[in-house]
Amino acid sequence: MSTLNIPIYLDYSATTPVDERVAKSMAECLTLQGNFGNPASRSHPFGWRAEEAVEEARRNVAELIGAVPKEIIWTSGATESDNLAIKGAALFNQKKGKHIITMKTEHKAVLDTCRQLERDGFEVSYMDPMENGLLDIEAFKKEIREDTTVVSIMHVNNEIGVIQDIAAIGAITREKGIIFHVDAAQSPGKVAIDVDEMNVDLMSLCAHKVYGPKGIGALYVRRKPRVRLEAQIHGGGHERGMRSGTLATHQIVGMGEAFRIAREEMTAETARMRVLRDRLWNGVKDMEEIYLNGDLEQRIPGNLNISFNFVEGESLIMSLKDIAVSSGSACTSSSLEPSYVLRAIGRNDELAHSSIRFTMGRFSTEEEVDFTIEKVREAVEKLRELSPLWDMFKDGVDLDSVEWAHH
Amino acid sequence: MAYSDKVLDHYENPRNVGVLDKDDPNVGTGMVGAPACGDVMRLQIKVSEDGVVEDAKFKTYGCGSAIASSSLVTEMVKGKTLDEVAAIKNSEIVEELALPPVKIHCSVLAEDAIAAAIADIKAKREEQSTVKASA
Ligand SMILES: Cc1ncc(COP(=O)(O)O)c(C=O)c1O
């Protein structure tokens, strides 16, 4: 009996569906019968109850990352957390120095924030990753200067799923007294986090990659030693002045419940993801001219990012119309640029144009993976039949030696 | 992004996929684009002595709209004289396939491929006539 629901969702790193348990907890915080009060209302039980729910959620988020609840600041998502962390720390410490270190493979929320700071007179070093996607720790050490105040390195990369050695970086920044920000939007429920062991000072989190709702996130802000930020959103002084605005109880409760579930189910879930991921990889890896992007070991279990040489990513996605995946290749994001992450790890333009990201999650099944393997093999074969580059490769032509008519 | 029915039709059932012998004196080959830009089109036309396109084949590496544009072009050129073929404009491709603005470059590339194939066959024929003349 087939239980396949077409189209199949294999884009869990873009966002996840909300877990039923999370949706239920959220629904209880909306109506007159529910917990609808303003958590900042001190004068009646509606406010007290809402505040209680918010604080329980705060505990759940803190617990997943080994923090204390007071260190969690609610935001609208990881983008806002990245902005608050990097701008907030850089601006607060600008008398000490104006140099920031980050990586070329960071999310745009980090890269564009850094670009903005450059326009405001800061200097930013964008480190190249090694070919496996990881930061070269020795090169990083050399990049540190007297006036370096903030280092921002992501935990799990959203495109290639590689896991940076946060603890190794944190040991260095702590010793040098540099503030260490980590974008961990992709980490919860997939890889263990302990902000103390890792010596992280600031950590961006969001709910919608771990079966919580969109539009809610958090920033972990270390209290010992205390990390101070310049607020970016001013108003009623909520969240200890770091982020004003009435707290969205239902969103926060959803994030708390999502993080509670992630904590409890992570071990079983990652084991299951690994089985699915290996099944998918084993189902395609014998194909000619395919390349796994990013380290296979230092990688979250639910991610496979593969370049199918001589096939263009957008047409491949079009062929895989029953499967929801994403392409580092561009046309999908309408920028016509191949993935900057794949370019940064040294993939040439062809391979960067030929990549597909498969990300599996809580509701993925073996049946879906098997269907995907079959469809991918079919589609790649069909498109290679159509590809002049494949012909040339088969005829032994070195494509790098061809003089292309660039347009 | 949603594709038009015409693009989907050409993409799913591409016309005239294949290769003609590029060394055949009656075959003009045009290859345009670059892998780095995400599309490469190879258009080949077989041209009779009196300058009529008898056959056309293509292979394309690129997005669905690029594949559809080249597939459509092989249909458009067949039976036309070289002068008629040279007059084909990318706007006709855009219109026929209902390409959105971000995909207009695919039609431009197809027009370039036509021009390159014509240039190739003309060069071959000139070379032959000079060989004949000097013989
Ligand atoms: C690594 C990383 N950082 C930041 C973000 C942005 O998160 P949000 O959508 O919550 O603003 C994402 C997700 O898109 C991400 O994957």
Side-chain angles (χ1 to χ4, degrees):
Chain A
M1 190 190 68
S2 171
T3 51
L4 275 185
N5 283 322
I6 303 288
I8 291 168
Y9 192 71
L10 287 183
D11 205 10
Y12 280 83
S13 282
T15 194
T16 56
V18 170
D19 190 291
E20 296 285 349
R21 294 165 284 184
V22 171
K24 185 165 169 290
S25 72
M26 292 176 69
E28 286 162 6
C29 299
L30 293 168
T31 61
L32 179 61
Q33 282 72 37
N35 193 356
F36 73 90
N38 184 334
S41 297
R42 292 287 144 84
S43 51
H44 50 67
F46 296 92
W48 306 336
R49 270 186 67 202
E51 189 188 16
E52 243 170 68
V54 164
E55 293 315 311
E56 188 192 329
R58 208 187 294 275
R59 277 193 295 280
N60 277 319
V61 170
E63 207 166 317
L64 186 84
I65 64 169
V68 294
K70 278 187 178 160
E71 295 174 312
I72 302 299
I73 302 294
W74 300 115
T75 67
S76 63
T79 299
E80 187 191 327
S81 300
D82 288 342
N83 273 267
L84 173 57
I86 300 170
K87 288 179 190 161
L91 293 171
F92 191 90
N93 291 288
Q94 58 183 321
K95 292 225 170 62
K96 270 200 238 161
K98 293 185 115 182
H99 180 234
I100 298 167
I101 303 176
T102 185
M103 259 180 110
K104 287 190 178 154
T105 48
E106 291 291 315
H107 192 271
K108 289 282 184 193
V110 167
L111 293 176
D112 272 26
T113 297
C114 288
R115 289 265 180 252
Q116 179 58 36
L117 286 168
E118 282 185 285
R119 283 189 284 272
D120 293 340
F122 286 79
E123 243 186 280
V124 182
S125 301
Y126 300 91
M127 304 283 302
D128 279 307
M130 298 185 290
E131 210 183 318
N132 61 4
L134 299 175
L135 179 67
D136 180 338
I137 302 282
E138 289 311 311
F140 166 67
K141 278 189 198 157
K142 292 201 189 94
E143 200 67 28
I144 295 174
R145 312 191 318 211
E146 277 295 305
D147 61 341
T148 306
T149 53
V150 179
V151 167
S152 181
I153 303 290
M154 73 202 313
H155 191 200
V156 172
N157 183 273
N158 47 301
E159 282 194 33
I160 54 180
V162 299
I163 306 166
Q164 300 293 343
D165 190 347
I166 295 300
I169 301 163
I172 297 164
T173 48
R174 178 55 50 84
E175 190 203 311
K176 302 256 184 207
I178 297 168
I179 295 172
F180 184 26
H181 167 249
V182 175
D183 179 344
Q186 294 283 350
S187 314
K190 299 184 195 118
V191 50
I193 303 172
D194 187 316
V195 286
D196 283 338
E197 268 175 27
M198 293 170 159
N199 285 310
V200 171
D201 297 310
L202 296 163
M203 180 176 275
S204 299
L205 299 163
C206 70
H208 75 97
K209 316 275 187 190
V210 353
Y211 314 99
K214 296 166 191 52
I216 182 74
L219 180 66
Y220 158 79
V221 184
R222 176 171 290 284
R223 281 169 72 88
K224 282 184 200 157
R226 182 154 172 225
V227 173
R228 300 181 63 186
L229 303 176
E230 202 165 278
Q232 302 298 306
I233 294 184
H234 304 93
H238 306 74
E239 301 298 277
R240 294 188 287 122
M242 281 193 260
R243 206 285 191 174
S244 290
T246 298
L247 295 177
T249 315
H250 63 299
Q251 298 287 86
I252 290 169
V253 163
M255 180 159 175
E257 180 67 358
F259 273 55
R260 181 192 66 77
I261 296 169
R263 185 177 77 239
E264 286 176 4
E265 302 186 354
M266 184 172 113
T267 311
E269 195 155 274
T270 50
R272 206 174 72 81
M273 283 313 113
R274 179 154 295 132
V275 171
L276 291 181
R277 196 266 311 273
D278 290 348
R279 192 179 180 93
L280 181 52
W281 179 233
N282 289 330
V284 297
K285 72 177 182 198
D286 64 305
M287 292 168 72
E288 262 183 283
E289 284 294 308
I290 76 167
Y291 299 85
L292 180 70
N293 297 312
D295 199 272
L296 184 58
E297 299 309 319
Q298 279 303 312
R299 182 190 200 97
I300 54 159
N303 171 299
L304 271 185
N305 186 311
I306 304 173
S307 288
F308 299 89
N309 208 1
F310 313 120
V311 172
E312 192 273 335
E314 189 187 336
S315 61
L316 185 51
I317 283 189
M318 199 169 159
S319 286
L320 299 175
K321 61 181 188 310
D322 292 336
I323 304 165
V325 289
S326 73
S327 168
S329 123
C331 309
T332 36
S333 54
S334 81
S335 67
L336 295 175
E337 290 290 322
S339 152
Y340 66 89
V341 171
L342 297 186
R343 295 296 287 121
I345 63 169
R347 291 300 192 213
N348 64 23
D349 280 322
E350 284 105 292
L351 287 176
H353 269 297
S354 302
S355 73
I356 301 277
R357 177 184 75 177
F358 303 89
T359 46
M360 286 149 272
R362 185 168 290 166
F363 309 105
S364 304
T365 64
E366 285 194 356
E367 219 182 346
E368 290 178 346
V369 167
D370 291 345
F371 179 83
T372 301
I373 293 168
E374 188 189 314
K375 291 290 168 193
V376 165
R377 298 189 75 106
E378 255 173 47
V380 170
E381 193 171 325
K382 173 191 156 172
L383 289 169
R384 282 184 174 166
E385 252 338 283
L386 274 176
S387 168
L389 303 182
W390 179 247
D391 272 358
M392 293 165 80
F393 166 72
K394 283 284 156 179
D395 290 341
V397 176
D398 173 11
L399 293 182
D400 290 333
S401 70
V402 177
E403 268 194 42
W404 300 101
H406 282 264
H407 55 109
Chain B
M1 183 173 39
Y3 297 94
S4 72
D5 291 343
K6 289 257 177 66
V7 168
L8 284 174
D9 179 41
H10 275 279
Y11 178 73
E12 270 157 26
N13 313 292
R15 332 286 202 259
N16 306 306
V17 176
V19 188
L20 299 172
D21 178 7
K22 71 175 182 344
D23 297 324
D24 181 332
N26 293 321
V27 169
T29 300
M31 184 145 82
V32 294
C37 306
D39 31 30
V40 176
M41 276 182 198
R42 186 178 62 204
L43 175 69
Q44 295 187 296
I45 49 177
K46 184 166 183 159
V47 185
S48 68
E49 291 288 322
D50 48 357
V52 175
V53 176
E54 294 174 324
D55 197 6
K57 297 277 183 208
F58 86 97
K59 284 206 179 188
T60 290
Y61 161 89
C63 66
S65 303
I67 290 171
S69 297
S70 33
S71 167
L72 174 67
V73 159
T74 58
E75 283 191 323
M76 289 169 84
V77 298
K78 275 202 220 179
K80 289 200 167 80
T81 65
L82 281 183
D83 287 342
E84 287 167 342
V85 169
I88 295 174
K89 287 275 159 283
N90 81 296
S91 53
E92 297 169 50
I93 301 168
V94 172
E95 202 169 308
E96 175 66 19
L97 294 176
L99 294 181
V102 294
K103 293 300 181 187
I104 289 184
H105 72 276
C106 298
S107 70
V108 173
L109 200 61
E111 190 187 306
D112 291 350
I114 296 174
I118 294 175
D120 184 51
I121 187 78
K122 285 199 169 154
K124 272 184 182 173
R125 296 214 157 145
E126 243 162 61
E127 200 176 304
Q128 263 175 342
S129 55
T130 47
V131 171
K132 270 185 205 144
S134 62

